[in-house]
Structures are given as C-alpha cells and as structure tokens.
Amino acid sequence: MEKVTVPSIKDRKGKEKIAMLTAYDFCLAQIVDEAGIDIILVGDSLGTCVLGYGNTLPVTVSDMIHHTKAVVRAVRRALVVVDMPFMSYQESIEKAKRNAGRMIKETGAEAVKVEGGEKMKDVIKALVDIDIPVMGHIGLTPQSYHALGGYKVQREEERLLKDAKAIEEAGAFSIVLECVPRQIAKRITEEVSIPTIGIGAGPDCDGQVLVIYDLLGLLGDFRPKFVKRYVNLREVVKKSVCDYIGEVKEGIFPDDSHSFH
Ligand code: KIV
C-alpha cells in the first residue's frame, strides 16, 4: 500500500485519473480509504450534509478541525485535504496563514483547499511559501453563493482560464473545477500543468470528485445533473430503521440469540 502524497497527485497528470470523495467522519473515511480512493476532501459541504445549514457560509474553522481529526484517524492511504471555510482566508494573508497552519497542525491533514481564482493568488502563494500545499477551486465556488446569485453553471471561459492559470502560477498542486461546461474544463485541463479535478465539469478533467452523501443517495430528492447516485442508501437506512421499530414493538428483537446467559 503506497501512501498518496501531494507530489504523487501532481505526477498523475496525463497518466492516471484521480478519484476524490468527501468524507466527514471516522467510519465513512475508513470505508472510502479501504476502497482505494486517492484523495479524501473534508469539504465545507459538511455544513449542508452533516450540520444542516442551508449553505456552507456558517461553517467555522473549529467545525473543520473537529471533523478532519476524525477523518485523519481513519485514513491510512489517501491524501487528506481540508477545506478552508468562509472568512478563514479572505480577510488577510496573515489570517489565512494562521488558520491554514492551525488546520494542518491540529488535524494531521496534508493540504488545504481554497476557493477563488486570481483574487486569491497572493493568499495561495503565501500558503505555498510556508510549505502548506494548496488545492484551488474555481467555477461555482459555493462560498460565493450570494455574489453569484445562487448555484449556477459558470460559463465565462476567459475568466475561468485566467483564474486557473493564476492558481497554477501561485503554486497550487491541483484545481477543482465546479459546474463548468465540459468544453471549458477540457481547455483548462489542456492549458494548465497541474491536475484538474472536476465536479459537474465533464469527463475530460484529470480527476473527479463527488460529495459522498450524493453518491450514496443519503440526501433528499434534490439531485444536481452532475451527481451519479450509486445506491439509494436513504431508502435502505429508512427501511432498516422501520424494520427495527416494528420488531421492537412486536417483541421480535431481541430474541434469545441476542441475549446473554
Ligand atoms: O465542500 C466540498 O465538498 C467541495 C467539493 C464539492 C469540491 O468543495
């Protein structure tokens, strides 16, 4: 079992596709890691998936640290990347360094992810300069929910290309492209030297990422076009819980085999 590292991810460009998933807790992180995922992202999507917020804006550095520590305890092989939450890096470079440093030092994660393109170039460079590896994130950046007017496909080709190049120049080791038309994602992938990891960006990226709760069908019926649900775990879980309730009420569970003598 060879540990996935930042340099080994960079090396995959043009050679081997990168599979990335989110995880937010020990149990799922262990399953995902054992299955052979390359990168586990402790995404600030935990705000919506785990904490029940309407968007990712309320998520704090403490929330991220709490969940990332649990994930890191489970992982043996995958590269663990932690999302920098809203307002933990936008205010100043000093604050970005302090927060990124805390998140790496206190959790054991190996890299941070920062949303935003050209505007975040100096922040990304400052983190890379103190040896904190950075994954960029452009296109639909959920922390810009209000500025973008909601979750929409991002189609400004030249802007996106400039953003990708700025992130590359700043020293990031990879870039997430979220909700970008596939032709634009293909062009960016061809024009930057670091791996692109798509979500709603088509098949030509160097890798793909999904939110684990989407893949497992744990969330409600809302399903963006780019999500592939591999199992409807929500139904499986609901049925199991209903069966349990029924058996408890009818005195079927526990039976003798689940009892001590
Ligand atoms: O927070 C998250 O889960 C993300 C991925 C969707 C890329 O940023």
Side-chain angles (χ1 to χ4, degrees), residues 15-70:
K15 294 182 197 146
E16 188 189 336
K17 293 266 189 185
I18 299 159
M20 167 162 135
L21 276 175
T22 66
Y24 318 102
D25 67 283
F26 181 87
C27 180
L28 273 180
Q30 196 169 52
I31 295 169
V32 165
D33 188 51
E34 283 173 6
I37 203 76
D38 298 312
I39 305 177
I40 293 182
L41 171 68
V42 187
D44 62 355
S45 51
L46 72 84
T48 49
C49 297
V50 179
L51 302 177
Y53 296 129
N55 56 49
T56 58
L57 302 186
V59 176
T60 64
V61 169
S62 303
D63 292 333
M64 296 309 302
I65 289 177
H66 179 73
H67 285 269
T68 308
K69 279 165 119 173

Side-chain angles (χ1 to χ4, degrees), residues 20 22 24 41-46 56 83 113 115 137 142 176 178 199 209-211:
M20 167 162 135
T22 66
Y24 318 102
L41 171 68
V42 187
D44 62 355
S45 51
L46 72 84
T56 58
D83 240 342
K113 178 164 80 57
E115 291 187 10
H137 182 162
V176 169
E178 180 163 353
I199 173 162
V209 56
L210 279 179
V211 167

Side-chain angles (χ1 to χ4, degrees), residues 156-166 187-188 191:
E156 278 182 74
E157 184 159 350
E158 296 312 317
R159 168 82 270 144
L160 288 163
L161 195 63
K162 264 193 180 166
D163 283 340
K165 295 213 168 196
R187 182 170 167 210
I188 293 171
E191 295 197 20

Side-chain angles (χ1 to χ4, degrees), residues 12-247:
R12 303 259 180 109
K13 176 113 187 159
K15 294 182 197 146
E16 188 189 336
K17 293 266 189 185
I18 299 159
M20 167 162 135
L21 276 175
T22 66
Y24 318 102
D25 67 283
F26 181 87
C27 180
L28 273 180
Q30 196 169 52
I31 295 169
V32 165
D33 188 51
E34 283 173 6
I37 203 76
D38 298 312
I39 305 177
I40 293 182
L41 171 68
V42 187
D44 62 355
S45 51
L46 72 84
T48 49
C49 297
V50 179
L51 302 177
Y53 296 129
N55 56 49
T56 58
L57 302 186
V59 176
T60 64
V61 169
S62 303
D63 292 333
M64 296 309 302
I65 289 177
H66 179 73
H67 285 269
T68 308
K69 279 165 119 173
V71 167
V72 168
R73 279 181 212 121
V75 173
R76 298 286 168 267
R77 177 185 170 273
L79 181 78
V80 178
V81 179
V82 52
D83 240 342
M84 294 199 68
F86 181 57
M87 290 317 291
S88 68
Y89 57 97
Q90 291 92 340
E91 209 175 309
S92 71
I93 287 184
E94 286 320 303
K95 191 164 177 186
K97 286 204 275 192
R98 207 160 38 243
N99 281 322
R102 259 196 82 193
M103 288 162 79
I104 295 292
K105 200 178 168 82
E106 293 181 28
T107 67
E110 296 153 282
V112 297
K113 178 164 80 57
V114 168
E115 291 187 10
E118 213 170 11
K119 285 190 230 164
M120 285 301 140
K121 186 172 177 179
D122 291 345
V123 167
I124 295 172
K125 187 170 180 327
L127 297 181
V128 172
D129 282 350
I130 54 168
D131 288 342
I132 295 182
V134 179
M135 175 181 278
H137 182 162
I138 61 169
L140 169 53
T141 45
Q143 290 174 21
S144 317
Y145 180 76
H146 297 304
L148 296 174
Y151 298 130
K152 297 174 182 163
V153 178
Q154 303 299 302
R155 300 177 183 280
E156 278 182 74
E157 184 159 350
E158 296 312 317
R159 168 82 270 144
L160 288 163
L161 195 63
K162 264 193 180 166
D163 283 340
K165 295 213 168 196
I167 290 173
E168 178 188 22
E169 275 167 33
F173 72 96
S174 58
I175 315 175
V176 169
L177 305 179
E178 180 163 353
C179 287
V180 171
R182 72 176 280 188
Q183 297 80 356
I184 300 179
K186 183 170 189 287
R187 182 170 167 210
I188 293 171
T189 301
E190 284 165 0
E191 295 197 20
V192 297
S193 62
I194 52 176
T196 58
I197 301 178
I199 173 162
D204 304 302
C205 299
D206 298 303
Q208 297 293 327
V209 56
L210 279 179
V211 167
I212 184 87
Y213 283 26
D214 282 332
L215 174 150
L216 297 177
L218 275 169
L219 301 174
D221 277 338
F222 173 68
R223 199 174 348 156
K225 183 179 165 72
F226 60 80
V227 167
K228 181 166 177 186
R229 189 184 271 181
Y230 285 79
V231 59
N232 189 344
L233 219 48
R234 195 180 177 91
E235 281 311 309
V236 174
V237 171
K238 206 182 270 178
K239 183 177 177 314
S240 307
V241 173
C242 287
D243 289 350
Y244 166 74
I245 294 169
E247 291 197 0

